[in-house]
Amino acid sequence: MNGFESWALTLAVFLPLLGAALILLIPKESETAVKTVAFLTAGITSLVGLWILTAFDFKSSGRLQLDVNVPWIDVINSRYHIALDGISLPLLLLSMVITLLCVIYSWDHFPEPHNPKAFLALLLVLATGMNGTFVAQDLILFFVFFELVLLPMYFMIGVWGGPNRQYAAIKFFLFTLFGSALMILGFLALYFLGDNTFDIPELIANGSTIARGTQILIFGGLFMGFAIKVPMFPFHTWLPDAHTEAPTVGSVVLAAVMLKLGTYGFVRIALPILPEGAAAWAPWIGGLAVIGIIYGALGCLAQRDLKRLIAFSSVAHMGFVMLGIATLTDYGINAAVFGMVSHGLITGMLFFLAGSIQERFGTREIARLGGLLVQAPRLGWILGFCAMASLGLPGLAGFWGEFPAILSAYNPAGGLPVGLFRGFMVVASIGTVLAAGYLLWMYQRTAFGTPKEEFEAKHIHDVHGPEWVAWAPLLVGIVAFGVFPGLLFNITDGAVQGIAKSLDGSAETADARSGATPVREEKLPLAEEAAH
Amino acid sequence: MLENAWVIPALPVLSFFIILFFGKRLPKGGAWVGVAAVALAFGLSVVAVGQWISRPATLEVATHHGSEGEGQTVEGDDPAHGAAEGEHDAVREPVRREVTWFSNGPIDIKVGTHIDGLAVAMLFVVTTIAFAVHVFSTNYMADDVRITHYFAALSLFTAGMLVMVTASTTLLLLFGWEAMGLCSFMLIGHWWEKHENSSAALKAFFTTRTGDIGLLVGISILFFAAGQTFDIATLNEAALTGAISKGVLTVGAIALFCGVIGKSAQFPLHTWLPDAMAGPTPVSALIHAATMVVAGVYLVARVYGVFWEGFNIAAGGVNLGAVIGGVTVLIAALLAFVQTDIKRVLAYSTVSQLGYMVMALCVGAWTAGVFHLFTHAMFKGLLFLGSGSVSHAVHTFDMREMGGLRKFMPTTYKTFLVGSIALAGLPPLAGFWSKDEILTGASAGGFPIMFWMGVVGAGMTAAYMTRCVWLTFFGEYRGHGHPHESPAAITVPLIALAFLAAVAGFLNAPGVGLFGDWTNNAVTLAAGVEHHAFSPFIAVTSTLVAIAGIGLAALWYVRNAGPHGITERNAAARAGYTFLLNRYYLDHLYTDGIVGSIKGPIARAAYWINQNVIDGIVNGVGIAARKAGNFTYDILDQGMVDGAINGSAAAAGAGGGFLRTTQTGRVQQYAAVLFAATAIFAVVLIVVTI
Amino acid sequence: MILNQFLMLAAVLFCIGVYGVLARRNGVLVLMSIELILNAVNINLIAFGAFHDTIAGQVFALFVIAVAAAEVGVGLAIVLLIYRNRRSVDLTEINMMKG
Amino acid sequence: MIAQNLIFGILSVVMGLAALRVVTTQNVVHAALYLVVVLGGVAGIFILLAAEFAAITQVLVYIGAIVVLFLFGLMLTKAPIGKAANLDNDQKFVAALVSVMLFGVLAWAQIDAFQRVEVQPDRVGTSAMVGNSIFTQYLVPFEVISVLLLAALVGAVVIARKD
Amino acid sequence: MTPLLDYHALAPELILTVGLCLVLVVDLFVAEDRKVLVTNLAGLTVLASLVPVLTLAVDGADRAMFGGAYAVDNFALLLKGLFLVTGYVTLLMSVNYLDEGDYYEGEFSFLLLSSLLGMTVMASARDILSIFVALELLSIPAYLLAGWRKRDLRSNEASLKYYLLGVLASGVMLYGMSLIFGVVGSTNLYEIGEVLNSSFGRLPLVTVGIFLVIVGFAFKVSAVPFHSWAPDTYQGAPTPVTAFLSVASKAAGFVALMQLVFIGFLGRDDVWGPLFWALAALTMTVGNLIALRQTNIVRMLAYSSIAQAGYILVPFAVAGDSREALATAQSASITYLAIYAAMNLGAFAMVIAIARRTGSGELSSYGGLFKYSPALAVIMSAFMFSLAGIPPLGGWFAKFMIFRAVIEAGTASAVVLGVIAAVNSVIALFYYANVAREMWFSPSPEGVDDRSRVRVPAALSAAVVITLVLTLGVGVYPNAIARLGDMAVLVR
């Protein structure tokens, strides 16, 4: 391993922090310098990301690569262990790209009260937290990065947010902290039961020795931490508030990357380390996931605020991701990872759009909008495109998060209640219709028709330069991943297979222990009768 | 060409992107790019057809159960039949070409093309109609503000349909399927400034999406049932060889059929299709008559093995598909009577005809169903374009503002008439042959109910088309414009399609049977789908019924038209009138009692039920969803879930407030607490530790 | 003499002292009550010292006496300070800060 | 032994009553004087337990210094000499309850622990022994307490003085 | 025969003693307007006494005198270091406060040094008599310091309440000590430990004695329900004194508790285990809940420090569960104390700094701080969120160690306590974040026109920088503090 290889991930994580520190040194008045530094930092970080992409050995994407493993906190045997595999890589790149795009997007529209210096510094700190979470291979390191994102986001919402920002900011903060407080208890339990280590790969190797009952308990702790971040029903109520009140860039980062921290946690930590706990929890997770799908969709139907609608749609979409995870199968987890990325691209894009619409019209109230296609056709069509992507139209990235999740629910991992999961599958499929419902209904009211009187005379800019630059990669990504899902699946699959292998049969052994016979056959008794 | 069939869908994809990105800067908004791409695709499809026809039948297929014993054989000169005498039949081997799309562990998910007779036929149909529609649109839509978008969407649509028909896997099929849905949405809502249009677009999208629930579920079920593959050929084989249990097949087939119901506008999800007429007429011709709506039919034909086994078609009697198809035939036909909008008449007619196709497939008449799809595309595309031509002239679709147009627009009139007769099923035009085959299949396949439904439907079809033609082209012009014949870009496609509508039926006429031969494939053979011989009795019956329908309708409209006499104006009407008049003592009751009641109360009641109950349910579901949304959000989410959160926060605050009051500020009270706590804790501790 | 008689006396003094601390209004009287408490402790210490035959009890008691002296001095200084500013040593009135 | 018990009985009754008066009397000066009685009684108890040095210190420090300090305190705070109403606050009942509870616990635990164990002070704790102990084993606390007294002195002066 | 006194071991205390006498003397000869010199001298004394602490640490050997009654081991050294640094930072915070507030400076330094001396002695005291005397030495100057703003009624009140309750608590504690002494017949903690491990230790009287002693220190560390003095005293006392009380004095209480409980009472974990469990749960919950409703920042920090004490008590509650848990618990408490010291001192330093502009401790006066003095707002937020335990600020590691102790113990009651602590850390965030909210999100209050940057004097800046660096450093690289905490474990 040459020098840069051992430094690449560290750079990817800490360059933004360095940039933030640099920005703090620049006087507040020289805004251009601040922006330039932020742009360069995010850009160089992305270049590092590109380099990582070239250095990554795709043939063995299941192996942890670019490993750095040095002592950190000896006393608790916690190490600075960062590395990435096929699951981390796409998310890390997503985080980098989103950060860069956010810097570009905010180039000349900083929300009130302006102050680019603080805003960009916070954004870069946020980036460090996000990047770090995706590469951390040590529970404590993971925890620190996982929490590191809270503060910047709190301030971002609170300072630059909408009218109800203070409530939203604290709510976001409290919820997440509540989850992570229980999560850290779970981590500690893993430490003591998993041979006094916080190292994730080691724990995966050791973890299955933990007794089933204990696994279930610990999984409960981790579940709280991750599920709130995801957010799963019924822990989702922070999300609409946070999204609605956050400034555009904040919403984008929140939706595109931060929600993934939770699902990533499930995939990276909770599932492989606690396979039997996962198997015991899976039906509940699946149930909450499909409730979330329907519930989020119904919530969307009731929204009058564009951003809030998109926020609720995240609840539904993350439901699909969680459903995939709950199946504990390779299909499901692949779908989940794909869902994370595609949701990142699509919902991130939707929030950009909502921000731009608000900037132009001064409102996000759906009822007051209308005829966007008349006044700003490009904006309108992009909105339509994203709505279509969001509702899971095949050919666009969203589909690959949804359909394989549904698919995998038909055949969950051995030992899980097949009938129940098939029920989930049907409910989730209904969710796709509801998704079409709320998105198109929103689209009809905002983009179709003719402009409302109050905005009739107003000159509305169509998409402008920085917006194009910031959006184009996302739009291209949505199409590219939609048409060539292999771009992503082939990266994630290796790693996912590893996880699926560790999960394989966990539910069965659990069942065997509890004396039940595993159910694993294709025949549905009901259908059998119907056929005759 | 067969190996490189991917090029055919790729062309419109290419043109889509060209139009999307450069259309605005191209002359005519990029329309010609689309036309050129489709023309090329059409050409290539024709090449493909040629190559397919000339492909030797090399694939030996074991037949499931021989049809020879019953003496009902396919045409003698059928090369496929030559081998049917033995245990094996030979068919043309499908041309497959696949690449790995992505992998999931050991399972490679592939995409590719699967070209067989069905695919080739569909390629031909789609490119033909698409070409005609493209050409038609260059004029029809010339002045539209969004011609670029229009052509982009049209290109994308064509691509979607072509992808679907060539797809080798259910997954890729789903891609094309949904892409069409998207384009349908965009094109129905093309004039989105008006709320009704965008609502219609939404409705179409939702309704088909609702059906797609089943499709998604079905594909998932069959994916695992077939051993983790989306491959359709494997799936069919697995279904027919019994590798998949009957129960799973049944569930899978029902699930898939939900998708069919949505996409092919079968009862009860048919209500979106008439509304979809809000889109430009060429779109209606292409998407909502000839191609997209037959996607469901195509799906059934494509994964026939699943339906064959899942619906237990070989057993005859009734099954879900056949019932739905039959009911759709009748319901939609009934509804067509009361429409005043010419396009809506055609729309209901389309629904009805789709019912025929579905019914055909589900009574085991595979070839008939596919063939009807083929002929229907020709004459229904023609009829829609004809109606477009009419509206181009009179700027309305309301038949009450038309009348007498045959004088102003002779070409349109003639071609429309050809289409109508083909639709009505009068020999020797296309509709007759395909409809006849369906009826034969239903009768011989052991589906008497479906047979009679089909027969009644045939009569009704003839009747409502008579009404339509009458109101549009006969009588006095009731509008306010100055009708004129349309330009060549419009009439040429009409003529071309009229030609096809007239002659296409002969492809599978008794003694010709080419279509059946070309589309013959391993699946139907393995399933043991029987091809029933031409039955003169049925042919005559259906013809007579159709004529009766025409006659009765003509009679009705004569009576409505008043004493001036229809006979002077129209020969066909005169013939019908005379025919009816001779039997007037019977038919007085008949016309008033049956036709009248059909035309009047029953049709109206049916329409009312349709608009208020079925459509009401469809709309109601939407409203209910929104209501449920409001409830979920306002009561559950904001009230209870969030309320619990905020409530616990408030409780914490209140707890803090209460505890504050214990901090009285008086030092001796603090001291009292100190000592009291000491005393109490001490007692407790002693009790605990003793 | 049994040990417990001393211990009971101490307990009585202690509790009377506690009562005084809790029930008296005047700051100086409260300080006096505290002395009762400390003296109770001293009785205990000396009695236990005698019981165990060790000098440590006495030594401990001496330290307590010394500390008590210092405490009383400081306490009176504080009471005086309060008196100077408020013209009252009524403890029940001193409740500017609460909640 | 009887004499000792007799003396203890008298002392304890006097001390108990005097202590009660300290906390109940409505005359502040009386309270101080009753306190003297209690403190003196304590010295007597010390003697009974053969702790002479402690007894002497008790008299010197408490009666000689602390009570005087209290009287100064009463004077300086202009406490009403003579009977005054309202020397008690409104939580007498609570105070009594708490004290009784506390007494119950302590008494029970003490009786439980030592039952009827005899205490026989046969060695007089001389000042030499005390000094020896303080300057060997308890040297550090002793030094500390000297600093403590200094600090209390300086601090009390600063706090109590007018400025 | 080994000499009675080990002067090297006693050097920190000796230097302090000499220094405080020097301060007292020099104060007499320094003119009124140059009293800063005295404070500087006091600061130098503290720094000088840190030197032997370091040399002793380097030396590494455990030293003990008077039959183990006075020990200089890693535990003692670490905590002496902690006390001295805390004292130094407090002095830094006081310099301008006293100077500008026109309070007695020389005597202030003297009393502070006295109190520090008491603390350093406390860290080594393994004898209940020494512990008692050290406690008094560290408390009595503190009673006086609380009333240092003599003309301020609140300060008077603070002093009175602190004094009265403090004396009562030490009375209770003494009574308890007398009972323990009565059963054991010795004041030496190790001997006490031995006896309490025997059948004598099972006496209910011992239970009462242990309990009364713990009550005395529960008061010192302001554990609920013995906390009620703390808010009033903290609010009324001069802010540097409050900082000192809430950090050093509280730490001293914990140090004493650790020595008593882990050496003396170790055998009776059935008494102190549940007791600390209840105290910890109550303290965290009550402290946090009441803090939610505070509008005065100092008072809020007072309740916050009560709640923080609750967290520190958590390891005590689980220490008796197993041998491993005992070591982990001690290391957790020590680590928490050290980190808490840094962040809480920092918070108070910031309160002093900000009060230089706002002149008020009311939270509402903090509005708009981020706009006119962003650096102060950021730093104050850092301390607040560190107290809340948000990574990467030091507080997270402190909380982490607590949780670690809880999970290491692994019993059901331990885990429940852990969950209570977790929930409490969420409640706590609300009011900590509220401070940040006021500074960042709210506009300046009406009538505040001065929008220039707040100027912070050098000494105060130094205090802020020291605490900030420690807080951040620990958060990012907790290894150093964790290792120290591990080494300083009193009983393994």
Short mmCIF file of all heavy atoms in Angstrom, two decimals, chain B residues 474-486:
data_model
loop_
_atom_site.label_atom_id
_atom_site.label_comp_id
_atom_site.label_asym_id
_atom_site.label_seq_id
_atom_site.Cartn_x
_atom_site.Cartn_y
_atom_site.Cartn_z
N PHE B 474 -73.49 11.55 -41.64
CA PHE B 474 -74.77 11.62 -42.34
C PHE B 474 -75.60 12.76 -41.78
O PHE B 474 -75.23 13.41 -40.81
CB PHE B 474 -75.50 10.29 -42.23
CG PHE B 474 -74.80 9.19 -42.98
CD1 PHE B 474 -73.82 8.43 -42.38
CD2 PHE B 474 -75.11 8.96 -44.33
CE1 PHE B 474 -73.16 7.45 -43.08
CE2 PHE B 474 -74.44 7.97 -45.02
CZ PHE B 474 -73.46 7.20 -44.41
N GLY B 475 -76.70 12.95 -42.39
CA GLY B 475 -77.59 14.01 -41.97
C GLY B 475 -77.05 15.38 -42.36
O GLY B 475 -76.16 15.50 -43.20
N GLU B 476 -77.60 16.38 -41.69
CA GLU B 476 -77.19 17.75 -41.99
C GLU B 476 -76.03 18.15 -41.09
O GLU B 476 -75.93 17.71 -39.95
CB GLU B 476 -78.38 18.71 -41.74
CG GLU B 476 -79.51 18.56 -42.71
CD GLU B 476 -79.08 18.88 -44.13
OE1 GLU B 476 -78.24 19.80 -44.31
OE2 GLU B 476 -79.55 18.20 -45.07
N TYR B 477 -75.18 18.98 -41.59
CA TYR B 477 -74.11 19.52 -40.77
C TYR B 477 -74.69 20.42 -39.71
O TYR B 477 -75.43 21.36 -40.01
CB TYR B 477 -73.09 20.27 -41.64
CG TYR B 477 -71.97 20.87 -40.81
CD1 TYR B 477 -71.17 20.03 -40.01
CD2 TYR B 477 -71.73 22.23 -40.80
CE1 TYR B 477 -70.17 20.56 -39.26
CE2 TYR B 477 -70.70 22.76 -40.03
CZ TYR B 477 -69.93 21.91 -39.25
OH TYR B 477 -68.93 22.43 -38.48
N ARG B 478 -74.41 20.10 -38.45
CA ARG B 478 -75.04 20.84 -37.36
C ARG B 478 -74.07 21.82 -36.70
O ARG B 478 -74.43 22.50 -35.75
CB ARG B 478 -75.54 19.84 -36.31
CG ARG B 478 -76.61 18.90 -36.85
CD ARG B 478 -77.09 17.93 -35.80
NE ARG B 478 -76.07 16.94 -35.44
CZ ARG B 478 -75.88 15.80 -36.13
NH1 ARG B 478 -76.61 15.54 -37.20
NH2 ARG B 478 -74.96 14.94 -35.77
N GLY B 479 -72.83 21.83 -37.18
CA GLY B 479 -71.84 22.69 -36.54
C GLY B 479 -71.84 24.09 -37.11
O GLY B 479 -72.73 24.48 -37.85
N HIS B 480 -70.82 24.85 -36.72
CA HIS B 480 -70.76 26.25 -37.14
C HIS B 480 -69.55 26.56 -37.99
O HIS B 480 -69.40 27.66 -38.47
CB HIS B 480 -70.75 27.15 -35.91
CG HIS B 480 -71.77 26.76 -34.89
ND1 HIS B 480 -73.13 26.91 -35.12
CD2 HIS B 480 -71.65 26.19 -33.67
CE1 HIS B 480 -73.80 26.45 -34.06
NE2 HIS B 480 -72.92 26.00 -33.17
N GLY B 481 -68.67 25.56 -38.15
CA GLY B 481 -67.44 25.85 -38.88
C GLY B 481 -67.60 25.62 -40.37
O GLY B 481 -68.71 25.56 -40.91
N HIS B 482 -66.48 25.57 -41.02
CA HIS B 482 -66.46 25.29 -42.45
C HIS B 482 -65.62 24.07 -42.68
O HIS B 482 -64.41 24.17 -42.91
CB HIS B 482 -65.90 26.49 -43.22
CG HIS B 482 -66.71 27.73 -42.98
ND1 HIS B 482 -67.94 27.96 -43.56
CD2 HIS B 482 -66.46 28.79 -42.16
CE1 HIS B 482 -68.42 29.10 -43.12
NE2 HIS B 482 -67.55 29.64 -42.28
N PRO B 483 -66.24 22.91 -42.60
CA PRO B 483 -65.45 21.68 -42.72
C PRO B 483 -64.77 21.58 -44.07
O PRO B 483 -65.29 22.08 -45.08
CB PRO B 483 -66.53 20.59 -42.57
CG PRO B 483 -67.73 21.26 -42.05
CD PRO B 483 -67.66 22.68 -42.48
N HIS B 484 -63.61 20.97 -44.05
CA HIS B 484 -62.86 20.80 -45.28
C HIS B 484 -62.05 19.53 -45.15
O HIS B 484 -61.78 19.07 -44.04
CB HIS B 484 -61.91 21.99 -45.50
CG HIS B 484 -61.05 22.22 -44.29
ND1 HIS B 484 -59.88 21.53 -44.08
CD2 HIS B 484 -61.22 23.02 -43.22
CE1 HIS B 484 -59.35 21.90 -42.93
NE2 HIS B 484 -60.16 22.80 -42.37
N GLU B 485 -61.64 18.99 -46.26
CA GLU B 485 -60.83 17.78 -46.19
C GLU B 485 -59.45 18.12 -45.65
O GLU B 485 -58.93 19.22 -45.82
CB GLU B 485 -60.72 17.15 -47.58
CG GLU B 485 -59.99 15.81 -47.61
CD GLU B 485 -60.61 14.78 -46.69
OE1 GLU B 485 -60.33 14.84 -45.47
OE2 GLU B 485 -61.39 13.91 -47.15
N SER B 486 -58.86 17.15 -44.97
CA SER B 486 -57.55 17.37 -44.36
C SER B 486 -56.45 17.22 -45.39
O SER B 486 -56.64 16.58 -46.42
CB SER B 486 -57.35 16.35 -43.24
OG SER B 486 -58.37 16.49 -42.29
#
